[in-house]
Coordinates of all heavy atoms in Angstrom, one line a residue:
T1 N 125.1 114.6 167.0 CA 126.2 115.5 166.8 C 125.9 117.0 167.1 O 126.7 117.8 167.2 CB 126.6 115.4 165.3 OG1 125.4 115.6 164.5 CG2 127.3 114.0 165.1
D2 N 124.6 117.3 167.2 CA 124.1 118.7 167.4 C 124.0 119.0 169.0 O 123.6 120.1 169.3 CB 122.8 119.1 166.7 CG 121.7 118.2 167.1 OD1 122.0 117.1 167.8 OD2 120.6 118.5 166.9
A3 N 124.3 118.0 169.8 CA 124.0 118.2 171.3 C 125.1 119.0 171.9 O 126.3 118.9 171.6 CB 124.0 116.8 171.9
A4 N 124.7 119.9 172.7 CA 125.6 120.8 173.5 C 126.3 120.0 174.5 O 125.7 119.1 175.1 CB 124.8 122.0 174.2
E5 N 127.5 120.3 174.7 CA 128.3 119.4 175.8 C 128.1 120.1 177.2 O 128.1 121.3 177.2 CB 129.7 119.3 175.4 CG 130.0 118.2 174.3 CD 131.4 117.7 174.3 OE1 131.9 117.4 175.5 OE2 131.9 117.4 173.2
V6 N 127.9 119.2 178.1 CA 127.7 119.6 179.5 C 128.9 118.9 180.3 O 129.1 117.8 180.2 CB 126.4 119.0 180.1 CG1 126.2 119.4 181.5 CG2 125.3 119.5 179.1
S7 N 129.5 119.8 181.2 CA 130.6 119.3 181.9 C 130.1 118.4 183.1 O 128.9 118.6 183.5 CB 131.4 120.4 182.5 OG 130.7 121.1 183.5
L8 N 130.9 117.6 183.6 CA 130.5 116.8 184.8 C 130.2 117.6 186.0 O 129.3 117.3 186.8 CB 131.6 115.8 185.2 CG 131.8 114.7 184.1 CD1 132.9 113.7 184.6 CD2 130.5 113.8 183.8
D9 N 130.9 118.8 186.1 CA 130.5 119.8 187.1 C 129.1 120.4 187.0 O 128.4 120.5 188.0 CB 131.6 120.8 187.3 CG 132.9 120.5 187.8 OD1 133.0 119.3 188.5 OD2 133.9 121.1 187.6
Q10 N 128.9 120.7 185.8 CA 127.5 121.2 185.4 C 126.5 120.1 185.8 O 125.3 120.4 186.3 CB 127.4 121.7 184.0 CG 128.0 122.9 183.7 CD 128.0 123.1 182.1 OE1 128.6 122.4 181.4 NE2 127.4 124.2 181.7
L11 N 126.7 118.9 185.5 CA 125.9 117.7 185.7 C 125.6 117.6 187.1 O 124.5 117.5 187.6 CB 126.4 116.4 185.2 CG 125.7 115.1 185.4 CD1 124.3 115.1 184.7 CD2 126.6 114.0 184.9
E12 N 126.6 117.7 188.0 CA 126.5 117.6 189.4 C 125.7 118.8 190.0 O 124.8 118.5 190.9 CB 127.9 117.6 190.1 CG 127.9 117.4 191.6 CD 129.3 117.2 192.1 OE1 130.2 117.8 191.5 OE2 129.4 116.5 193.0
L13 N 125.8 120.0 189.4 CA 125.0 121.1 189.9 C 123.6 121.0 189.7 O 122.8 121.3 190.5 CB 125.7 122.4 189.2 CG 124.8 123.7 189.6 CD1 124.9 124.1 190.9 CD2 125.4 124.8 188.7
I14 N 123.3 120.5 188.4 CA 121.9 120.2 188.0 C 121.3 119.2 189.0 O 120.1 119.4 189.6 CB 121.7 119.8 186.5 CG1 122.1 120.9 185.7 CG2 120.3 119.2 186.2 CD1 122.2 120.5 184.2
K15 N 122.1 118.1 189.2 CA 121.4 117.1 190.2 C 121.3 117.6 191.6 O 120.2 117.3 192.2 CB 122.6 115.9 190.2 CG 122.2 114.9 191.2 CD 120.8 114.3 191.0 CE 120.4 113.4 192.1 NZ 118.9 112.9 191.9
K16 N 122.1 118.5 192.1 CA 121.9 119.2 193.4 C 120.9 120.1 193.4 O 120.3 120.4 194.5 CB 123.3 119.7 193.9 CG 124.3 118.7 194.1 CD 125.6 119.3 194.6 CE 126.7 118.3 195.1 NZ 128.0 118.9 195.4
S17 N 120.4 120.7 192.2 CA 119.5 121.8 192.3 C 118.0 121.3 192.0 O 117.1 122.1 192.2 CB 120.0 122.8 191.2 OG 121.3 123.3 191.3
V18 N 117.8 120.2 191.5 CA 116.5 119.7 191.2 C 116.1 118.5 192.1 O 117.0 117.9 192.8 CB 116.3 119.3 189.7 CG1 116.6 120.5 188.8 CG2 117.1 118.1 189.3
T19 N 114.9 118.3 192.2 CA 114.4 117.2 193.1 C 113.9 116.0 192.2 O 113.6 115.0 192.8 CB 113.2 117.7 194.1 OG1 112.1 118.2 193.2 CG2 113.8 118.7 195.0
I20 N 113.7 116.1 191.0 CA 113.4 115.1 190.1 C 114.6 114.2 189.6 O 115.7 114.8 189.7 CB 112.6 115.6 188.9 CG1 113.3 116.6 187.9 CG2 111.2 116.2 189.3 CD1 112.6 117.1 186.8
P21 N 114.4 113.0 189.2 CA 115.5 112.2 188.7 C 116.3 112.9 187.5 O 115.8 113.6 186.7 CB 114.9 110.9 188.3 CG 113.6 110.8 189.2 CD 113.2 112.2 189.2
V22 N 117.8 112.7 187.5 CA 118.5 113.2 186.6 C 119.2 112.0 185.9 O 119.9 111.1 186.6 CB 119.6 114.1 187.2 CG1 120.7 114.5 186.1 CG2 118.9 115.3 187.7
V23 N 119.1 112.0 184.6 CA 119.7 110.9 183.8 C 120.8 111.6 182.8 O 120.5 112.6 182.2 CB 118.8 110.1 182.9 CG1 119.4 109.1 182.0 CG2 117.7 109.5 183.7
A24 N 122.0 111.1 182.9 CA 123.1 111.7 182.0 C 123.1 110.9 180.6 O 122.8 109.6 180.6 CB 124.4 111.6 182.7
I25 N 123.3 111.7 179.6 CA 123.4 111.0 178.2 C 124.5 111.7 177.4 O 124.8 112.8 177.6 CB 122.0 111.1 177.5 CG1 122.1 110.4 176.2 CG2 121.7 112.6 177.2 CD1 120.7 110.3 175.6
G26 N 125.0 110.9 176.5 CA 126.0 111.4 175.5 C 127.3 110.8 175.7 O 128.1 111.1 176.6
G27 N 127.7 109.8 174.9 CA 129.0 109.2 174.8 C 129.4 108.4 176.1 O 130.6 108.1 176.4
I28 N 128.4 107.9 176.9 CA 128.7 107.2 178.1 C 128.9 105.7 177.8 O 128.2 105.2 177.0 CB 127.5 107.3 179.0 CG1 127.4 108.8 179.4 CG2 127.7 106.5 180.4 CD1 126.0 109.1 180.3
N29 N 130.0 105.1 178.3 CA 130.2 103.7 178.1 C 130.9 103.2 179.4 O 131.0 103.9 180.4 CB 131.1 103.5 176.9 CG 132.4 104.4 176.9 OD1 133.1 104.3 178.0 ND2 132.7 105.0 175.9

């Protein structure tokens, strides 16, 4: 419940900006 929310656009930006694997978490089903 204390996790900051990250938009899908922010997620995409992070993925495009780093070279290491990116895993999304939080309410995914």
